[in-house]
Every structure is written in C-alpha cells, then in structure tokens.
Amino acid sequence: MTASALPSDFEWGFATAAYQIEGAVDEGGRGKCIWDTFCHLEPSRTKNANGDVACDHYHKFEEDFDLLSKYGAGAYRFSIAWSRIVPLGGRNDPINEEGIEFYNRLIDSLLRRGIRPWVTLYHWDLPQALHDRYGGWLNVHEVQKDFERYARVCYERFGDRVKNWITLNEPWIQAIYGYATGGNAPGRSSTNPLCDEGDTTREPWIVGKALIMSHVRAVIAYNQDFRKDQGGTIGISLNGDYYEPWDSTNTQDAEAAERRMEFHIGWFANPIFLAKDYPASMRKQLGNRLPSFSEEEFAMLAAAEPDFYGMNYYTSQFAKSKGEEAPETDVLGNVEELQSNKDGESVGAESGVHWLRSCPEMFRKHLTRVHRLYKKPIYITENGCPCPGEDKMTKEESINDPFRLQYFKDHLDAIGKARQDGAVISGYFAWSLMDNLEWSDGFGPRFGVTYTDYETLERTPKKSALLIQELIAERQK
C-alpha cells in the first residue's frame, strides 16, 4: 500500500449549494431567504450579482446530473433551500408541496443514475420571514425549534431515499461573516460602515449557540424518530484552516496557532463532538459574552452524537500572536493571520483568490489533528480552488485547468498520507460541480470543474472534471 492509497469504498463526488446554483427564486412556491435580500441591497454588497437565476439548476438539473454521470461521480452533495420547503420558515407555517416535489424529482434523478444523494439541510439561506419575525439566528430559543421542524419535514419526505444528512454548512461563516464582519447575509456588524445594524461584540456568539442547538435538535429528532427505519447517517460540515506559528521558535506564536484553530473549529466541534463547553481560550477572552450551556443543553449535546465529521478545507495560514489584550470586537482569538512566515516562506502556491494557497502538507496535519481530537470518520465535504487568473480567462482558457488538477492530486495524496498517520477519512467532495455564485464575491471566482457561461448558461467540462475519476482510481489500486 502506497502512502497515497485510498480504500476501495472511498466515497467521492462533487458538491453544490442551493442559493449558488438553483435560481428560480420566485418559482415553485419558494419563499424569500436572507440572501435574496442581501444580494439586492444598495449599494451592492455582492458585486452587483444575485441568485435570481444563478446557474438555473432548478430547470437544468437533469443536464447537470448527466455531467455527474459523465464524470463518474458516485455521490453528490447538495443543499435543500429551507424556504422552498417552508416558505415562511416557522414550525407552524405551511409546507410547500411544490418544493417537496422539486426535491423528490431531483433525488430520484440522482438515484436513477446510481448517484448517492448527500443532503445539507442548511447552507446559509435562512428564510427571510424568520429574520423579520424574531431576528432569525439571534433568537436561540425560537430558531432551534423552527429548524427542528424543517429537518423533520425533510426526513419524513426524503429520508426513505436520502441516507446521508448534513445539518449545517460552515456555522462559523454564518456567525462571523453574517453577524461580525457583515460581509455575508444578513449583513449585521458594528465595525463595517456599510452595515446599519449589529453588535460585533455579542451577536456572533449568540448566533453560534443558536446554530449548535439547532444542529443538536435535528440530530436528536433523527435518532429518536427516523434512524431505526431509515438507517441513515447524520453529521455536520465545519470549515477551518490549519495554522502554524509565524515564528516556529516563539511559544506565543505556537499558542496563537492553536488558539486560532480553537476559535475557528473548537467553537463548534467541542460542544458538538465532545459534548463539552467551548475551548477555554474562548472563555478566557470573551467572558460572559460567550453564551453558556445549561445542564439540560449539555444532556442534549450528549444525546446528539454525530456519525461523522464533515470537513470543508481549502487552505492554511501562519498565526502570529498580537500580544496585547484583545479588543471586544476581535473574533479571531487575538491572532494576526499571515500567508508567509517569519523567514518569508510562503504557506503555499497562489490560487485565483487572494485567501487561498495550496497547502497539502498542512492539510495532512489538519486531518490528523481533527481526527485525534474528535475521533470521528472524516468526510471532506468541500475542497477545491480557482486557477490563478481564471476570473479573467476565456472559456477555452478556463477549461484547461492544470493548477486545479494539481491541487486535487496533492490534496488526495495528503488524504492518503493522513490515513497512514491513523486518521479515518472516508470520502471526498470536490467544490464545486460548476462555476456558480460565490456569495459576496459574485460571479468572479470560478471554483467549478464545469465552466458556466453566465450569459447562455451553457456548461462545459473542464479537464479536471474528466480526470478526477482517474485520480481516485489510481489511489485505490
């Protein structure tokens, strides 16, 4: 067995999210979500882009699934739009049967092709009605009950065919970008001059607890009322970079690197996977601004043990201690994030977006660290990149994507090496099936393995899409 070997039953495929690809925002009974509102703010926060049409996957999913078959994918991760299922979002609000029927057709289409559906219940698109009604994620008590009801509807209607569930995608992004920096919907911040509302010192931590308890309720509901008959698995997808000290000889930088990962990952993973309080470093810095868990809530955390750890990984960084006391608006653990270390060495090769460098060796360390701490099988639920300069390329240039292909090769090798280190890694989903709306970055960055022409909506496979099956097969020999 080589260092890059993958098991014969290694799950692999591609991933997407509803708001980024579906479009048809006013069709099929769908309600408005917070991203509909955010994308139409003036001045634009999303580079004048919106998801009104996006990739028009709502009408073109059969064509897109033909591509999945062509690429040899065994699985496909997608999200359900909460406001297509319950347009007003709440536990006493009507269910939209047109939305149910859309996802039934989508799931059945995948199964006819022999492709396993992996469903994410929440990928950042909170129904706008819940935000208007009681503040959405800012109301811990209400939103967790509404999310549980929405999850139950999905289990009831789709769980006979869907056997792999992800409750939330990247709660860190929802909490920090939505309620601290204001860069994502609903765009609340007290430090961003574009934002009219928000309290960066408190809101992200409240939202974090609401997300954790919503996940917990969805898992308990599945375990109690659906698991026995449906026989599926359930987990959560957490994002987080890997950090090494900016100065490898400096104890404070080493502590800063660990603290940054605790603020990034431990914030959610410690309660969810260990049924423990938040990391001590967060308690020390944030004090009573970090909500506490009651004894009843700790019991719920213990009863909601996930089956797997979904990891969204793109890049790594160096962490440099700031030394002084953190201001109340700090959300990073009082750490300066850098892409070069003290000796001027880059963390990795530059991609097509400023924040993403290719760092496969640090990915290997990240995998082994997460498995050592949380002791669950890991599925890489997102991993990918845009090529350098791809946002300015023609279609002919974009579909020839050697940087992306090398990125996939190196990161698949890192998975194999982490498995040799003892980490259990059971699957891999490349981000993304197609170029799509990259949230506040609009239609600029192209993460897809399929080129999307946003004028004609024509899809064209990139070379990496046609070769990823070979990459997996080579490592399973």
Side-chain angles (χ1 to χ4, degrees):
M1 185 168 65
T2 66
S4 60
L6 300 174
S8 59
D9 61 350
F10 191 73
E11 184 87 288
W12 75 274
F14 300 92
T16 62
Y19 189 74
Q20 292 179 271
I21 65 169
E22 279 186 4
V25 296
D26 295 322
E27 295 185 46
R30 177 187 180 276
K32 198 173 188 179
C33 79
I34 56 174
W35 273 94
D36 294 310
T37 302
F38 189 73
C39 283
H40 288 279
L41 292 175
E42 296 291 344
S44 177
R45 315 281 181 86
T46 57
K47 301 184 178 177
N48 297 308
N50 60 66
D52 293 0
V53 176
C55 302
D56 199 27
H57 179 71
Y58 185 84
H59 297 109
K60 299 172 78 69
F61 69 85
E62 294 284 6
E63 176 184 339
D64 294 334
F65 294 169
D66 285 343
L67 289 174
L68 281 176
S69 295
K70 183 175 183 176
Y71 302 161
Y76 173 58
R77 178 189 171 219
F78 64 96
S79 74
I80 290 176
W82 187 344
S83 62
R84 278 204 195 278
I85 304 300
V86 188
L88 298 177
R91 54 195 178 274
N92 297 313
D93 292 322
I95 296 170
N96 174 34
E97 293 298 335
E98 285 186 82
I100 297 287
E101 176 56 26
F102 168 68
Y103 289 111
N104 273 330
R105 288 188 286 116
L106 190 151
I107 291 163
D108 290 344
S109 180
L110 288 169
L111 293 174
R112 282 197 304 272
R113 292 170 168 82
I115 298 170
R116 288 173 294 281
W118 282 65
V119 170
T120 305
L121 292 170
Y122 182 75
H123 200 126
W124 308 351
D125 46 357
L126 181 78
Q128 181 67 39
L130 297 187
H131 184 77
D132 295 340
R133 189 178 298 169
Y134 54 68
W137 294 115
L138 289 168
N139 191 317
V140 178
H141 179 74
E142 292 295 326
V143 75
Q144 61 178 292
K145 294 180 180 179
D146 286 342
F147 184 74
E148 178 188 343
R149 191 270 189 138
Y150 158 62
R152 284 180 173 274
V153 171
C154 291
Y155 304 151
E156 289 165 0
R157 300 302 191 92
F158 312 126
D160 59 327
R161 290 152 292 155
V162 173
K163 303 304 176 186
N164 301 284
W165 297 96
I166 295 166
T167 55
L168 307 173
N169 180 78
E170 299 183 346
W172 187 91
I173 294 286
Q174 176 69 91
I176 297 300
Y177 286 3
Y179 297 84
T181 71
N184 279 9
R188 295 178 64 88
S189 174
S190 55
T191 59
N192 185 336
L194 291 175
C195 299
D196 298 325
E197 299 177 295
D199 180 358
T200 299
T201 68
R202 292 187 179 274
E203 288 189 3
W205 318 116
I206 295 169
V207 169
K209 182 177 179 184
L211 289 159
I212 290 168
M213 294 312 300
S214 295
H215 158 85
V216 163
R217 281 185 174 268
V219 173
I220 290 174
Y222 190 76
N223 288 345
Q224 287 182 345
D225 297 331
F226 300 94
R227 182 184 290 272
K228 182 179 178 182
D229 291 334
Q230 296 181 358
T233 64
I234 191 165
I236 187 170
S237 287
L238 302 181
N239 68 299
D241 299 351
Y242 182 77
Y243 292 82
E244 289 197 339
W246 178 75
D247 180 351
S248 61
T249 66
N250 187 307
T251 301
Q252 286 189 320
D253 286 354
E255 291 172 351
E258 183 63 24
R259 186 168 65 249
R260 182 67 192 92
M261 289 186 281
E262 290 174 345
F263 268 70
H264 216 157
I265 298 167
W267 176 12
F268 297 96
N270 279 25
I272 287 170
F273 289 94
L274 304 178
K276 291 183 177 179
D277 194 20
Y278 307 108
S281 62
M282 296 186 73
R283 281 279 173 216
K284 180 179 179 181
Q285 178 176 317
L286 299 170
N288 62 10
R289 290 186 288 127
L290 192 61
S292 59
F293 294 106
S294 67
E295 288 303 313
E296 180 185 3
E297 288 168 334
F298 274 120
M300 293 173 68
L301 286 165
E305 184 176 356
D307 296 300
F308 61 87
Y309 183 112
M311 177 188 287
N312 291 2
Y313 172 87
Y314 291 92
T315 195
S316 297
Q317 301 186 63
F318 293 109
K320 183 179 181 182
S321 173
K322 288 189 174 181
E324 70 275 6
E325 185 176 343
E328 281 201 334
T329 54
D330 176 74
V331 295
L332 304 180
N334 205 29
V335 170
E336 184 178 1
E337 301 175 313
L338 299 162
Q339 292 179 317
S340 297
N341 65 14
K342 183 181 179 182
D343 297 326
E345 298 167 338
S346 173
V347 74
E350 296 182 37
S351 73
V353 285
H354 68 90
W355 55 267
L356 197 164
R357 304 288 181 101
S358 181
C359 318
E361 282 304 310
M362 290 193 186
F363 182 36
R364 175 184 180 177
K365 296 176 183 179
H366 187 48
L367 287 163
T368 56
R369 176 184 182 274
V370 165
H371 188 263
R372 172 176 52 81
L373 288 174
Y374 303 115
K375 297 176 176 60
K376 288 292 180 184
I378 297 170
Y379 286 86
I380 312 304
T381 42
E382 289 182 25
N383 180 243
C385 68
C387 298
E390 192 171 5
D391 58 329
K392 306 276 196 310
M393 291 180 183
T394 64
K395 179 178 76 172
E396 289 69 26
E397 292 169 330
S398 180
I399 62 176
N400 181 24
D401 56 348
F403 185 92
R404 180 178 292 106
L405 187 61
Q406 190 63 51
Y407 182 96
F408 286 151
K409 287 180 179 178
D410 292 343
H411 286 73
L412 287 170
D413 284 344
I415 291 171
K417 292 173 183 176
R419 285 176 53 83
Q420 294 287 78
D421 297 337
V424 177
I425 305 145
S426 301
Y428 178 89
F429 292 84
W431 184 270
S432 173
L433 174 60
M434 68 191 86
D435 297 331
N436 55 49
L437 176 68
E438 281 298 328
W439 306 107
S440 57
D441 281 335
F443 290 109
R446 291 183 175 270
F447 278 80
V449 299
T450 307
Y451 181 90
T452 304
D453 184 319
Y454 296 118
E455 297 295 324
T456 66
L457 299 177
E458 178 188 19
R459 281 85 153 123
T460 306
K462 301 178 187 179
K463 287 187 177 179
S464 61
L466 301 171
L467 293 174
I468 194 166
Q469 184 178 19
E470 293 181 19
L471 299 182
I472 300 287
E474 287 170 359
R475 287 156 180 75
Q476 290 178 316
K477 291 178 180 175

